[in-house]
Amino acid sequence: MANGLIPQKIVSVHLQDSALKELKDQASNKQAEILQPSPEASVENKPELDVMEHIGQEELKVLGPEATQQKGGASGSEPAGESDRGVGSLELCHLHLSSCHECLELENSTIESVKFASAENIPDLPYDYSGSLESIADDVCPEREGRRVNITGKAPNILLYVGSDSQEALDRFQQVRSVLADCVDTDSYTLYHLPEESALRDPWSDNCLLLVIATRESLPEDLSRKFMAYLSQGGKVLGLSSSFTFAGFQVTSKGALQETVQNLLFSKVDQSQVKLSVLSSGCVYEHPGEWLSLGKLQGHLENEDKDRLIVQVPFGTCGGEAILCQVHLELPPSSSVVRTPEDFDLLKSSNVRRYEVLKEILTTLGLSCDVQQVPALTPLYLLSAAEEIRDPLMQWLGKRVDPEGVIQSSKVSLKFVSSYTSEIEITPAAIPVVTDVEAFSSENFNLDIYRQNLQTKQLGKVILFAEVTPTTMSLLDGLMFEMPQEMGLIAIAVRQTQGKGRGRNAWLSPVGCALSTLLVSIPLRSQLGQRIPFVQHLMSLAVVEAVRSIPEYQDIDLRVKWPNDIYYSDLMKLGGVLVNSTLMGETFYILIGCGFNVTNSNPTICINDLILEYNRQHGTDLKPLRTDFLIARTVTVLEKLIDTFQDKGPNGVLPLYYKYWQVRLGSSEGPTVSIVGLDDSGFLLVHQEGGEVVTVHPDGNSFDMLRNLIIPKQR
């Protein structure tokens, strides 16, 4: 760069994703077996990439205990919108520049975007809420019983609207999010802030199981129409001390009640009652007519007027309903609005019942409140994929740690110890790393299986493994610039408690996901160094090829979706990629985070589900796969893809990429387009009807785009 060389694109890609979907009757109790292909396996369908020919043709070496298909987990995920539909569906994802300062100055081009949606039809799924949201309650809609069903393959979202953008609103968001996270299983639901701009612009409704409105501000008319449209299509709404009302209800202020502790009598759906002390908002609900057609759940004050503070209001013919509250259920007894020690005592004594009421409300609105405890963090283990690298690794490490055995980075402190005892504290910021691994064993990671299926020259040779860690993306931070490249680093975890997606999105990371962060070094003055956005495509492709290049597994319908996702057909997301790159001198240091569902069937779908269904449809007996086996194969495939790209450029890998992706799109909401392919930098080329071929970049939308929408940049 000092000599004037300017890379075409220098970017780091924050990509998400996993996908969460409620499946009906797809959980299987069948014991999963370890994949142990025979040397006489049938001839596979050869990939089009010559350098990959031996992948999948060699005998697959898999050792260790039998793999049992896991259940009950939620996949890695990010906020989602409507369902992706049709062949060739394309998903929007962030593409962020976050490299060194010089690199930041290079990226100044305007991101172009095009709205489009799949033109293909897929079979109707149960409870399809994909109709127009511009109509309100009188629209014809089949009556449906039960709660709103998630059909999108994405993580079920709880969206929180807290009013205009201000510090007060952000504080309120944190309060509401915190109390809801205490009530629902955050492995099954993801809670997100819904800004006003996104509420008006983005297609958020189909994958929103609950909309929480928690602001006293009057809602703009166009926003109120959006929320009513969501209700009319079967949506569920929780109002917390909000001005939002409908169906003739009015919010009336009673100054004497404002921010005071009152006695509430709460009636559950089964007509049992709960008495508790609550913090009143100072407003009550009134209706000019009779209190007709209300749900059974309600709450009123034990005063002379029996003021209504909680009402359940059904709406429309599609099962929509709202529970509106003028009780500060979101505020803890320690809130600053609680005036006196006596009030604190009253609220504290009712705090268990406050949660009981809130959980009853959420359950009535269709959510599960069976909260799973967050697992405790575990130590890291320093493992090596080859015995010959062990001694050089320990010698290098001995020269790099401080006198306390610590390597410190801006994100985490790693303390290298020979053994772990319970007295050693583990926090997200300070994690012990066990170096004496003679007695290492894990039910979820078999080192022998990993070693025997890793066939690389450099990548994935040194492993930092944890059963439970905050996020694998932080573990390599203090090592990535120092460790020799031949000691290729990879961090592998069974579970993450703070998994990262693109932007600020959360990534749900349960048991059964293949979770890893891989360090890759790419010379700036190389084919791939000049086209860094291709890294995400290569990683997504490596996951798919790692499965479909196994003999007899070539027809498992696993696909790549531009720019960074792994999909089952064009229906449901199975995984995603997150890439962070830093340029130092003449080298890109790239952390590739990847998560994809292997054995976790619920609440979404996993690779072993696809294998099981394939066996049922074709009368075959393909064995289920393991996470350790697939991580090793994926890293092996990735190294070969990188080598091919460096030798032949994009044309060396695009034939295989096109083999596994979707290519035809259209839209009723934007320009009709057809996909031409990827440009020289890895961005999408589309041909607009009656127009020219343009490059499409991922946009900055905070939701997963549904039906392949790419929202234009707002100027």
Side-chain angles (χ1 to χ4, degrees):
M1 290 177 60
N3 295 329
L5 178 63
I6 299 179
Q8 293 175 339
K9 297 289 175 185
I10 301 179
V11 292
S12 118
V13 186
H14 295 249
L15 303 161
Q16 174 57 5
D17 268 292
S18 70
L20 295 168
K21 173 182 176 181
E22 283 193 9
L23 300 175
K24 303 176 70 176
D25 302 323
Q26 290 199 10
S28 169
N29 294 321
K30 181 179 179 180
Q31 178 76 16
E33 302 177 21
I34 298 175
L35 175 69
Q36 187 72 47
S38 167
E40 293 79 30
S42 63
V43 177
E44 64 170 324
N45 183 22
K46 290 186 178 181
E48 299 175 31
L49 192 59
D50 293 341
V51 69
M52 306 270 304
E53 288 182 355
H54 75 282
I55 303 294
Q57 292 180 344
E58 298 178 356
E59 179 180 357
L60 303 175
K61 304 172 184 178
V62 185
L63 306 174
E66 289 192 348
T68 303
Q69 184 159 319
Q70 303 294 327
K71 302 180 180 180
S75 73
S77 150
E78 61 182 272
E82 300 173 75
S83 169
D84 291 338
R85 301 176 184 243
V87 176
S89 61
L90 177 71
E91 184 169 10
L92 169 75
C93 290
H94 285 279
L95 190 57
H96 286 295
L97 183 69
S98 59
S99 186
C100 63
H101 177 70
E102 291 86 349
C103 298
L104 287 171
E105 294 181 337
L106 291 175
E107 182 67 16
N108 57 12
S109 62
T110 301
I111 294 179
E112 301 173 2
S113 309
V114 179
K115 272 190 173 183
F116 55 90
S118 172
E120 294 292 327
N121 294 319
I122 60 173
D124 290 336
L125 297 176
Y127 296 2
D128 184 1
Y129 292 103
S130 61
S132 170
L133 296 186
E134 296 304 322
S135 56
I136 311 296
D138 294 334
D139 286 357
V140 177
C141 179
E143 293 193 24
R144 301 181 176 102
E145 296 181 357
R147 65 186 179 88
R148 187 176 177 87
V149 175
N150 175 32
I151 63 169
T152 65
K154 308 282 189 177
N157 290 334
I158 301 173
L159 300 184
L160 312 180
Y161 176 78
V162 292
S164 58
D165 188 12
S166 65
Q167 187 58 50
E168 180 184 358
L170 293 177
D171 292 342
R172 188 161 54 249
F173 165 74
Q174 293 298 335
Q175 291 170 342
V176 176
R177 188 188 187 285
S178 177
V179 72
L180 293 180
D182 288 339
C183 294
V184 301
D185 180 6
T186 52
D187 270 352
S188 299
Y189 308 100
T190 314
L191 292 83
Y192 287 102
H193 180 208
L194 179 64
E196 181 175 334
E197 181 183 1
S198 294
L200 291 171
R201 181 192 65 193
D202 297 333
W204 50 268
S205 60
D206 281 1
N207 200 46
C208 174
L209 295 191
L210 177 65
L211 171 64
V212 180
I213 305 173
T215 178
R216 289 186 179 181
E217 300 171 6
S218 296
L219 299 182
E221 185 177 350
D222 52 353
L223 184 60
S224 182
R225 284 198 301 268
K226 280 279 188 180
F227 291 168
M228 292 305 299
Y230 168 67
L231 268 174
S232 73
Q233 295 294 319
K236 310 294 184 181
V237 172
L238 171 59
L240 293 175
S241 303
S242 168
S243 61
F244 177 73
T245 58
F246 58 94
F249 281 92
Q250 298 175 354
V251 177
T252 302
S253 176
K254 285 195 171 183
L257 299 178
Q258 186 171 358
E259 315 300 353
T260 61
V261 175
Q262 302 291 328
N263 295 324
L264 182 77
L265 184 63
F266 178 77
S267 297
K268 296 184 177 182
V269 172
D270 63 5
Q271 296 302 289
S272 62
Q273 295 183 326
V274 178
K275 292 183 179 182
L276 70 159
S277 297
V278 297
L279 186 64
S280 169
S281 70
C283 296
V284 301
Y285 291 109
E286 294 183 346
H287 196 282
E290 297 292 329
W291 294 83
L292 301 176
S293 302
L294 291 182
K296 296 179 180 179
L297 184 148
Q298 63 92 22
H300 66 265
L301 295 182
E302 290 188 306
N303 60 7
E304 184 177 350
D305 295 330
K306 293 188 176 180
D307 293 313
R308 296 265 186 140
L309 268 63
I310 300 176
V311 292
Q312 179 186 7
V313 189
F315 185 77
T317 59
C318 298
E321 66 176 331
I323 295 179
L324 308 176
C325 307
Q326 291 299 331
V327 176
H328 284 301
L329 295 174
E330 77 278 10
L331 296 181
S334 58
S335 171
S336 60
V337 300
V338 177
R339 297 175 179 174
T340 67
E342 291 77 13
D343 285 348
F344 172 84
D345 292 342
L346 288 171
L347 294 174
K348 193 67 173 177
S349 64
S350 290
N351 206 39
V352 172
R353 281 165 289 186
R354 176 173 72 101
Y355 275 92
E356 181 182 357
V357 168
L358 189 53
K359 288 182 178 181
E360 174 71 11
I361 290 172
L362 295 172
T363 301
T364 301
L365 291 171
L367 276 68
S368 170
C369 292
D370 298 325
V371 181
Q372 298 179 2
Q373 186 175 2
V374 176
L377 299 178
T378 63
L380 293 166
Y381 289 88
L382 184 63
L383 310 173
S384 58
E387 291 297 336
E388 60 271 16
I389 204 173
R390 185 74 188 177
D391 289 341
L393 171 63
M394 297 308 296
Q395 292 172 11
W396 176 88
L397 192 61
K399 299 175 182 178
R400 294 299 186 276
V401 297
D402 67 16
E404 301 297 322
V406 173
I407 292 181
Q408 181 72 49
S409 75
S410 61
K411 296 180 179 179
V412 66
S413 172
L414 301 180
K415 182 177 177 62
F416 292 83
V417 296
S418 60
S419 61
Y420 172 74
T421 62
S422 58
E423 287 76 21
I424 301 177
E425 183 181 14
I426 306 176
T427 70
I431 304 176
V433 183
V434 180
T435 58
D436 185 358
V437 293
E438 290 297 325
F440 169 78
S441 66
S442 169
E443 294 181 1
N444 301 294
F445 182 79
N446 187 303
L447 183 57
D448 288 333
I449 291 177
Y450 180 86
R451 284 174 170 172
Q452 296 181 35
N453 288 280
L454 184 75
Q455 302 163 26
T456 62
K457 300 185 293 291
Q458 292 184 355
L459 297 186
K461 295 290 190 179
V462 175
I463 308 141
L464 285 177
F465 171 80
E467 295 285 345
V468 183
T469 200
T471 170
T472 58
M473 288 298 289
S474 299
L475 298 180
L476 307 186
D477 188 59
L479 305 172
M480 59 187 292
F481 303 121
E482 302 292 339
M483 186 170 285
Q485 292 187 18
E486 62 271 15
M487 299 181 186
L489 275 170
I490 186 171
I492 298 173
V494 176
R495 291 208 64 171
Q496 295 181 132
T497 60
Q498 300 172 14
K500 297 182 183 299
R502 59 183 175 85
R504 293 176 293 177
N505 297 343
W507 189 317
L508 304 178
S509 307
V511 174
C513 263
L515 304 170
S516 65
T517 295
L518 179 69
L519 174 63
V520 178
S521 300
I522 302 294
L524 170 64
R525 301 172 189 272
S526 67
Q527 293 265 22
L528 188 54
Q530 295 291 293
R531 301 170 179 86
I532 290 300
F534 262 103
V535 171
Q536 60 182 324
H537 309 321
L538 297 184
M539 188 63 183
S540 300
L541 179 58
V543 173
V544 174
E545 179 68 4
V547 174
R548 297 187 64 166
S549 61
I550 300 171
E552 301 184 31
Y553 288 71
Q554 64 271 6
D555 293 326
I556 300 299
D557 199 4
L558 198 63
R559 295 186 175 274
V560 294
K561 185 177 181 187
W562 184 90
N564 71 305
D565 293 331
I566 300 104
Y567 257 64
Y568 160 49
S569 184
D570 57 357
L571 299 176
M572 287 171 281
K573 184 185 293 184
L574 283 164
V577 176
L578 169 66
V579 176
N580 287 335
S581 63
T582 303
L583 180 65
M584 292 188 67
E586 292 287 310
T587 303
F588 274 111
Y589 294 88
I590 303 174
L591 293 179
I592 307 174
C594 183
F596 55 95
N597 301 336
V598 179
T599 68
N600 51 317
S601 293
N602 297 313
T604 178
I605 195 169
C606 67
I607 289 173
N608 282 348
D609 287 337
L610 306 187
I611 295 170
L612 186 64
E613 179 64 15
Y614 183 87
N615 286 338
R616 188 179 70 84
Q617 293 289 341
H618 296 86
T620 53
D621 190 28
L622 301 181
K623 306 305 181 187
L625 306 179
R626 293 177 54 108
T627 57
D628 41 20
F629 166 75
L630 282 181
I631 290 173
R633 278 186 65 84
T634 297
V635 174
T636 300
V637 173
L638 178 65
E639 185 176 86
K640 296 182 181 301
L641 287 172
I642 291 174
D643 289 346
T644 300
F645 196 104
Q646 296 289 45
D647 183 43
K648 301 179 181 179
N651 291 335
V653 299
L654 284 177
L656 186 64
Y657 187 84
Y658 292 150
K659 176 182 176 181
Y660 294 138
W661 82 325
Q662 305 123 24
V663 295
R664 189 158 67 87
L665 302 170
S667 175
S668 60
E669 302 178 9
T672 298
V673 300
S674 59
I675 301 302
V676 177
L678 300 186
D679 71 8
D680 196 52
S681 295
F683 299 117
L684 197 65
L685 288 173
V686 300
H687 182 268
Q688 293 180 281
E689 187 175 9
E692 60 181 351
V693 174
V694 296
T695 296
V696 176
H697 298 231
D699 196 10
N701 185 22
S702 59
F703 295 95
D704 278 342
M705 283 298 87
L706 321 170
R707 306 189 186 119
N708 308 318
L709 297 180
I710 293 184
I711 302 300
K713 273 287 187 184
Q714 301 297 313
R715 305 217 179 183

